[in-house]
Amino acid sequence: MKKLLLAVFILISSGVSSIAQVAPAKSKIATAFAQFKPATITLTDGRVLRQSSSNIFLKNSRLIYKHLGKVMEANMSVIAKVDFGDRTYIKTDSALMYIVDSVKSHLLLCKSTIDMDSYKRNMINNQQITNLEISTMVSVTSTDLTNSEDLVYPLDNEYYYLIDGKQIKAHERTLSRVLPKEKRHLLKTIIYDPGFSWVDVTYLNKILALF
């Protein structure tokens, strides 16, 4: 009888877990925005520039802009922040992450990029094309030519916290190291919820509130 109850519990738990899974993110364009748009760019030396036609290239999460009819990639080494009005990006390492939410000075950030491994597998399986052809298709110069109804880019969304200037990956191990001891049990309560996912912003915001 105990074995039967255990089996039923496992089946129910598995069902709940599968329902709680978040569907993989996808995009029909290789940029963060469907249209290039104005942006206010803050440089590392504090200067502020305004670019009339900008976007974020999802292959590497970098800033791109239009100049004399051509799409150019910005020099990321001098960029600190990019504000599109409805979304603000912060430069971390060599990529841009957008601010999902904030509590006081603490931030929840998302780095959204094309999952190139999945994309290559899908393209090769479906169209029998080579890796070289795929690399050419997903390039800065092709960013405004990717609105095909048949083309879908699988996205890899990685979440991070920026706490007191320190970047922390959204993961139990890394978060447990930085949270005060008295709040670690609250972290476990959140991540052990049956509906929890490391890409579910609702839960990630609850963790942000712990800082």
Side-chain angles (χ1 to χ4, degrees), residues 30 37 65 91 109 172 192:
K37 55 197 298 186
Y65 61 95
K91 203 278 287 293
L109 304 174
E172 181 179 5
Y192 291 161

Side-chain angles (χ1 to χ4, degrees), residues 50-66:
R50 288 174 176 78
Q51 174 59 242
S52 61
S53 188
S54 306
N55 216 322
I56 302 296
F57 188 32
L58 292 179
K59 184 178 181 181
N60 50 20
S61 194
R62 295 186 177 185
L63 178 67
I64 55 177
Y65 61 95
K66 287 186 176 181

Side-chain angles (χ1 to χ4, degrees), residues 119-131 133-134 137:
Y119 178 71
K120 288 177 181 178
R121 284 196 299 270
N122 293 342
M123 293 297 289
I124 290 173
N125 291 340
N126 295 337
Q127 299 187 22
Q128 301 298 316
I129 62 178
T130 66
N131 284 337
E133 289 173 315
I134 291 173
M137 290 173 65

Side-chain angles (χ1 to χ4, degrees), residues 29-46:
I29 54 176
T31 53
F33 307 103
Q35 303 293 331
F36 280 65
K37 55 197 298 186
T40 301
I41 304 165
T42 303
L43 304 182
T44 52
D45 62 4

Side-chain angles (χ1 to χ4, degrees), residues 30-177:
T31 53
F33 307 103
Q35 303 293 331
F36 280 65
K37 55 197 298 186
T40 301
I41 304 165
T42 303
L43 304 182
T44 52
D45 62 4
R47 287 184 298 158
V48 177
L49 306 176
R50 288 174 176 78
Q51 174 59 242
S52 61
S53 188
S54 306
N55 216 322
I56 302 296
F57 188 32
L58 292 179
K59 184 178 181 181
N60 50 20
S61 194
R62 295 186 177 185
L63 178 67
I64 55 177
Y65 61 95
K66 287 186 176 181
H67 178 67
L68 299 177
K70 294 183 178 180
V71 178
M72 313 288 288
E73 186 171 306
N75 179 6
M76 293 296 296
S77 65
V78 300
I79 293 175
K81 183 173 71 172
V82 183
D83 187 354
F84 287 94
D86 57 344
R87 180 178 288 185
T88 300
Y89 286 79
I90 292 178
K91 203 278 287 293
T92 59
D93 298 326
S94 60
L96 290 164
M97 300 187 191
Y98 67 86
I99 300 175
V100 178
D101 209 339
S102 63
V103 174
K104 298 179 181 179
S105 61
H106 302 151
L107 304 177
L108 172 61
L109 304 174
C110 178
K111 178 183 177 183
S112 185
T113 54
I114 296 172
D115 184 341
M116 289 303 297
D117 290 336
S118 296
Y119 178 71
K120 288 177 181 178
R121 284 196 299 270
N122 293 342
M123 293 297 289
I124 290 173
N125 291 340
N126 295 337
Q127 299 187 22
Q128 301 298 316
I129 62 178
T130 66
N131 284 337
L132 179 60
E133 289 173 315
I134 291 173
S135 297
T136 302
M137 290 173 65
V138 189
S139 64
V140 170
T141 55
S142 66
T143 53
D144 52 355
L145 303 175
T146 54
N147 290 317
S148 170
E149 289 294 326
D150 300 325
L151 198 58
V152 176
Y153 298 102
L155 298 180
D156 180 17
N157 291 333
E158 296 181 3
Y159 290 88
Y160 295 83
Y161 295 94
L162 192 63
I163 309 297
D164 298 328
K166 183 178 180 181
Q167 182 179 316
I168 304 163
K169 185 174 177 60
H171 188 277
E172 181 179 5
R173 183 181 302 172
T174 53
L175 290 169
S176 295
R177 291 173 181 169

